[in-house]
Amino acid sequence: MAASPILSARHVAKNYGAVAALKDASLDVAPGEVIALLGANGAGKSTLVKILTGAISPSAGEITIRGNRFNVSSPADARRAGLVPVYQEPSLIPDLNILDNLKLGSTPLEAFRHWLSELGVPDVDLIELARHQPLAVQRVIDLARALASEPAILLLDEMTAALPADLVDRVLDVVKQQKPLGRSVIYISHRFPEIAAVCDRAMVLRDGKTVGDLPITPGVEEEIVELMLGDAIKATKRAFATATVSEALKPRLEVSHLSAGSKLTDVSFDLRAGEVLGVVALEGQGQDELFEVLAGMTPPDGGGFSIDGTPCRFKHPADAIAAGHVYVPGDRAEALLMQRSVRENIAIPFHTRPSQWGLIDMAAEKAKVDAAIDRLQIDTRAQGEVQRLSGGNQQKVTIARWVAMGIETILCFDPTRGIDVRTKHQIYPLLRELAAQGSSVLFYTSELAEVQLACDRVVVIFNGKVVDQMDAEHADEPTLMRAAYGLTADDALQQAAQASASEPVV
Amino acid sequence: MTTVSDTSNNWSKALRTLVRDYPIIPLIILLLGLVVALEVMRPGIINERWMANTIKFAVPLAMLAACQTLTMLTGGIDLSVGVAATISAFVAASQLTVLGPTGAILVALVPPLLIGLVNGVGVALFRVHPLIMTLGTGLIGTGCLLVYQRTVIASGSSVPDFLSWLGTGLTYGVPNSLLIFVPLAVVIVVGLRRTGFGRLLYAVGENEEAARLAGVRTWQVLITLYVISGFIAGITGLLYLGLIKAPSLSLVEPRVLPSVAAAVIGGTSIFGGRGGYSGTIVGALILTVLATMLTVMQIPEGTRRIFFGLIILGVTAIYVRITQDR
């Protein structure tokens, strides 16, 4: 850092009420430098990005651009100051053509065309509506537009996620071309190979603090993983003995070569009766699509899955539920009727079929609902409307619904996200209990420590594929983190290739 | 000092809770207030005959408003009820001489059921917005009615005696239309609270995605709903025929928007998921008393309508404010 930094952030913090989303983040970017910004889920990465791009203002700390105070209160201010972001989701207005989209930001057309051809898509029809362009092309257009505005600092947030490999290479090339032009890039990605290819330095966040600022050298990945984990990685004590799942038992759910959308490319695994199978993945690696397909919300594009040996093709969540295969979404608001009572929320699955539309046996319903409330220890002091319950209790209601109905497989997508610790420690034993009674639990979690607290085994998904499977015993946080960043990806892919090569053709 | 403000705070809080949990209470108070105001304006007007008359006109309005309440609970609306009801009245009146009273009444219910089915298919399967869908089927129905009207002119029309008895007759001073209305109201009120179908209307209206995730095939619910709405509209048409005794194209149409108003005043949210039928019944009574009041005041038609609109807006605004928390 010989040159004076173009962007400098010092001790930036952001509080939401009593909650500190960011505690002490510092960052220096020199002209022509490419910086990787890294951090595990909840480390404060997205908060820092929001502050830098003007979406929110910091509670404390100082940010300067070219030595001037960075006083931005809106994304437009940030752009004027020379900081231009490109996100994973396209930011073009879908119902305008590309040219009109460019005019909105007064993007110089010549420069835009130049970067477009550098990115390998020179012949985009500019008077075509943005939404008619393939998603990958829309992202590239976003990037070309950002580059054409000659930003002092370009912020790429997961820009390459779900981009085809050839386009990723082009993007990396273009990022490298910024260096001699004296433009800086803040590069956010989960992919170490990309970081190694273009970045000069890595800035690591953990628990809202900057914990490391290190040059990219071969083998630095391990060091970065250690930094992201910190010293909170004492092996979590398991509160239960791993269920004795007989390997010989036929798996309940067999997923083979499932693909859907642009993110889920090829996932295969087995879920056995009586086990809790963890799923670990970084944001946006295809896990959302996996759960949606298994829950019958969207049809798969390729591959398939079978339950107890029978191939299944769900057209509606009702089909999945009829097969005893239920889904608890990550977003509670998606599953709940916020204005209705706890009782009605738990009882919806009882009345779904037209044959169940008649008079309700209120006493029988109450008995079933109360049993579920008891079992999950739901605090019913505010049961008149679910929206008055705490987040943890709301989450319990989404699970209680299925416990009351009786199920064989439960798909939980990050059920402990954003709920209090006490409730979390009620949910783990509950999942164990369901498994002990013979149900199968598929449990996606964004908190790596939960794998050892609740699961028997775990599959790790990276880039739309299963890259690792292991017993929970061995799945400590460092191992999972490495796997989640695809650091064992090559080995796993090789193994998979060998396995499929040796498989007899049916 | 503190105790005083605390008590008054507690009182207002208790009042708010009461109003929120029993939203029908302020509506009944408003209704009684209007009746008292009417009596003050024109002493002696409130008697048995006036009450019977008010009920006679409020009942069919409340039935049309039942269609609005049920569809609004799912976030929809049914603007085709006016036409559905009118068609049913026309068919009953023209087929009486051909099919006899029972046959005429049964045949008269077929077109409104069909309109409901088409509405349901459009809303549920083709995802047409209910406002547009029911507006469209309403217009198509009006067109068919214009054609059918010639048949009526050719064959003549008469009102089945049973329907006149039901629409205008009194038994011991009580309107006979209550014989239809009370059972229907009980079925709807209980149905919304105590049947699986009723629960699903609220579920679909509040969060269709959540209902779907819980295994509800929402299209089944919506088609059934709009068919039910058509059926109630058909019966209402027959009741209007018995009440007004002369089928015309404008038999029910002018009551469609008041029926929406009755449901809204009654506390049913036009965005779905919130409301109930008992409020709607009181809403229909309020609108009927209000109409009488404005007539009694002997003000010109234009001014009357302006007042009517302002009062509906005012009542709704206040009501929404006091019943919703925060």
Side-chain angles (χ1 to χ4, degrees):
Chain A
M1 274 189 290
S4 65
I6 184 157
L7 171 77
S8 162
R10 290 267 154 264
H11 311 298
V12 176
K14 176 72 188 177
N15 300 316
Y16 292 101
V19 183
L22 197 61
K23 290 171 193 159
D24 180 6
S26 297
L27 173 73
D28 280 307
V29 185
E33 202 177 21
V34 182
I35 303 274
L37 182 57
L38 287 149
N41 290 328
K45 210 168 47 184
S46 28
T47 310
L48 183 57
V49 168
K50 281 185 198 158
I51 290 172
L52 290 177
T53 55
I56 56 176
S57 45
S59 316
E62 195 186 22
I63 304 174
T64 53
I65 277 196
R66 295 190 199 89
N68 299 322
R69 239 186 106 74
F70 179 77
N71 246 336
V72 293
S73 49
S74 76
D77 282 350
R79 273 171 202 278
R80 241 169 274 134
L83 197 148
V84 178
V86 179
Y87 298 105
Q88 185 179 344
E89 300 304 326
S91 61
L92 296 169
I93 294 173
D95 286 319
L96 288 183
N97 67 33
I98 309 290
L99 211 55
D100 289 341
N101 265 294
L102 294 176
K103 278 182 201 152
L104 278 181
S106 17
T107 309
L109 204 56
E110 269 317 299
F112 173 75
R113 280 188 196 281
H114 165 72
W115 289 116
L116 213 50
S117 66
E118 286 293 313
L119 285 162
V121 279
D123 33 65
V124 170
D125 183 1
L126 294 187
I127 50 170
E128 183 69 76
L129 291 188
R131 67 185 154 92
H132 290 163
Q133 298 290 347
L135 210 58
V137 174
Q138 290 190 33
R139 285 190 192 144
V140 170
I141 290 173
D142 262 346
L143 179 56
R145 181 167 68 158
L147 288 167
S149 66
E150 303 191 355
I153 305 150
L154 183 67
L155 192 148
L156 301 182
D157 189 357
E158 293 288 345
M159 155 82 206
T160 52
L163 220 55
D166 54 329
L167 277 179
V168 172
D169 288 344
R170 293 286 195 153
V171 169
L172 296 181
D173 277 348
V174 166
V175 168
K176 279 184 214 156
Q177 288 178 31
Q178 304 307 308
K179 292 185 192 180
L181 297 173
R183 296 185 194 145
S184 315
V185 180
I186 299 174
Y187 193 82
I188 300 174
S189 173
H190 290 318
R191 299 177 181 174
F192 280 118
E194 291 177 14
I195 290 170
V198 295
C199 296
D200 302 311
R201 282 189 301 131
M203 199 278 248
V204 184
L205 276 172
R206 182 180 75 237
D207 297 331
K209 292 180 188 149
T210 305
V211 290
D213 185 348
L214 50 169
I216 302 289
T217 50
V220 77
E221 293 93 332
E222 293 295 325
E223 210 177 324
I224 291 175
V225 168
E226 303 274 308
L227 277 172
M228 285 194 284
L229 289 163
D231 42 23
I233 47 166
K234 291 166 216 112
T236 340
K237 205 179 159 212
R238 282 159 74 80
F240 60 93
T242 307
T244 46
V245 178
S246 165
E247 298 261 345
L249 265 180
K250 262 194 133 181
R252 168 159 293 149
L253 173 70
E254 287 171 274
V255 178
S256 66
H257 305 295
L258 201 64
S259 66
S262 58
K263 287 183 188 160
L264 186 69
T265 46
D266 181 8
V267 162
S268 307
F269 62 86
D270 290 345
L271 173 63
R272 304 186 194 114
E275 80 168 344
V276 179
L277 177 63
V279 175
V280 163
L282 303 168
E283 292 278 309
Q285 303 298 317
Q287 65 271 38
D288 304 71
E289 290 78 3
L290 172 67
F291 275 72
E292 279 173 16
V293 168
L294 291 179
M297 293 167 72
T298 47
D301 293 338
F305 56 95
S306 54
I307 295 178
D308 294 328
T310 324
C312 292
R313 211 171 171 84
F314 299 144
K315 292 197 185 105
H316 190 280
D319 297 331
I321 293 162
H325 195 78
V326 304
Y327 171 55
V328 177
D331 182 4
R332 294 184 289 276
E334 211 180 301
L336 291 173
L337 310 172
M338 286 295 179
Q339 301 176 19
R340 311 305 300 174
S341 66
V342 169
R343 175 173 177 166
E344 280 185 42
N345 270 282
I346 292 179
I348 316 184
F350 303 164
H351 312 298
T352 53
R353 283 200 297 277
S355 60
Q356 301 161 323
W357 284 359
L359 271 180
I360 298 169
D361 181 343
M362 297 302 260
E365 185 190 270
K366 188 171 186 319
K368 275 195 202 172
V369 169
D370 285 350
I373 289 177
D374 263 6
R375 185 157 169 201
L376 273 87
Q377 300 158 32
I378 298 172
D379 182 347
T380 52
R381 271 173 301 177
Q383 60 175 313
E385 284 184 16
V386 162
Q387 63 189 358
R388 295 188 215 164
L389 298 184
S390 69
N393 275 302
Q394 289 181 1
Q395 187 66 58
K396 286 184 189 171
V397 172
T398 63
I399 301 175
R401 172 186 292 171
W402 302 120
V403 170
M405 202 186 71
I407 42 135
E408 293 186 12
T409 312
I410 184 163
L411 314 164
C412 295
F413 193 92
D414 219 0
T416 56
R417 183 193 296 167
I419 64 178
D420 59 290
V421 180
R422 209 176 123 253
T423 310
K424 282 183 182 177
H425 283 273
Q426 291 173 326
I427 287 181
Y428 310 137
L430 178 80
L431 296 179
R432 295 302 324 162
E433 205 180 305
L434 289 170
Q437 290 165 356
S439 300
S440 308
V441 182
L442 190 66
F443 175 49
Y444 167 73
T445 173
S446 57
E447 279 181 46
L448 300 179
E450 289 188 338
V451 168
Q452 295 204 319
L453 284 170
C455 303
D456 296 306
R457 289 190 305 135
V458 59
V459 296
V460 182
I461 295 177
F462 178 69
N463 222 350
K465 299 182 182 70
V466 172
V467 291
D468 212 345
Q469 296 203 27
M470 60 189 105
D471 287 331
E473 246 177 287
H474 307 119
D476 53 9
E477 287 188 60
T479 314
L480 286 173
M481 181 77 91
R482 271 181 213 107
Y485 273 90
L487 288 182
T488 53
D490 291 345
D491 317 337
L493 284 177
Q494 266 168 17
Q495 278 169 15
Q498 280 163 11
S500 61
S502 61
E503 231 166 38
V505 181
V506 184
Chain B
M1 281 291 277
T2 20
T3 27
V4 172
S5 75
D6 269 5
T7 355
S8 78
N9 254 341
N10 282 344
W11 268 104
S12 81
K13 210 176 169 187
L15 192 70
R16 269 175 164 262
T17 317
L18 185 76
V19 165
R20 206 180 52 216
D21 292 346
Y22 301 95
I24 199 164
I25 291 174
L27 284 178
I28 291 177
I29 293 172
L30 175 65
L31 177 62
L32 293 177
L34 285 174
V35 172
V36 169
L38 192 60
E39 176 68 20
V40 170
M41 280 158 60
R42 180 71 62 86
I45 189 174
I46 310 296
N47 55 26
E48 208 173 284
R49 233 190 87 227
W50 176 84
M51 290 208 303
N53 246 328
T54 304
I55 290 173
K56 253 190 264 177
F57 281 92
V59 159
L61 180 62
M63 284 169 68
L64 283 188
C67 304
Q68 310 305 347
T69 307
L70 296 177
T71 48
M72 273 162 61
L73 284 178
T74 65
I77 196 164
D78 191 347
L79 296 181
S80 66
V81 288
V83 176
T86 312
I87 292 182
S88 135
F90 261 83
V91 173
S94 59
Q95 295 299 316
L96 179 65
T97 46
V98 188
L99 300 169
T102 318
I105 288 173
L106 287 179
V107 170
L109 289 176
V110 173
L113 284 172
L114 271 179
I115 291 178
L117 183 66
V118 174
N119 285 338
V121 169
V123 171
L125 300 182
F126 295 96
R127 311 304 296 180
V128 182
H129 191 281
L131 189 82
I132 303 301
M133 190 65 217
T134 56
L135 200 62
T137 50
L139 287 172
I140 294 169
T142 311
C144 297
L145 200 56
L146 285 170
V147 176
Y148 186 73
Q149 204 180 13
R150 292 187 197 164
T151 326
V152 181
I153 294 166
S155 68
S157 73
S158 47
V159 181
D161 294 337
F162 170 68
L163 291 182
S164 315
W165 178 81
L166 204 60
T168 49
L170 299 175
T171 307
Y172 303 115
V174 178
N176 294 332
S177 56
L178 289 179
L179 285 177
I180 289 262
F181 180 69
V182 171
L184 180 79
V186 169
V187 166
I188 295 175
V189 170
V190 174
L192 285 178
R193 285 185 197 161
R194 295 273 174 115
T195 66
F197 185 71
R199 292 268 184 87
L200 293 189
L201 292 185
Y202 288 98
V204 169
E206 192 187 323
N207 189 343
E208 188 167 347
E209 187 56 22
R212 198 170 91 91
L213 277 182
V216 181
R217 295 179 199 270
T218 49
W219 63 270
Q220 295 173 336
V221 178
L222 290 173
I223 290 181
T224 312
L225 166 69
Y226 281 91
V227 170
I228 291 175
S229 179
F231 177 70
I232 298 175
I235 297 182
T236 314
L238 298 178
L239 208 57
Y240 269 119
L241 179 64
L243 182 65
I244 304 200
K245 299 214 172 71
S248 75
L249 285 179
S250 59
L251 182 68
V252 191
E253 206 52 49
R255 272 98 178 171
V256 173
L257 292 181
S259 78
V260 177
V264 172
I265 289 178
T268 298
S269 163
I270 198 144
F271 302 110
R274 213 176 179 121
Y277 190 50
S278 37
T280 303
I281 299 173
V282 184
L285 281 167
I286 288 174
L287 286 182
T288 312
V289 173
L290 211 53
T292 321
M293 207 158 136
L294 292 172
T295 316
V296 166
M297 283 160 80
Q298 288 180 329
I299 42 183
E301 174 71 13
T303 325
R304 215 164 73 193
R305 291 204 177 193
I306 291 171
F307 267 115
F308 201 65
L310 285 176
I311 291 169
I312 289 174
L313 284 179
V315 169
T316 313
I318 295 167
Y319 188 68
V320 166
R321 186 144 301 179
I322 57 174
T323 49
Q324 249 139 51
D325 27 6
R326 285 177 302 275

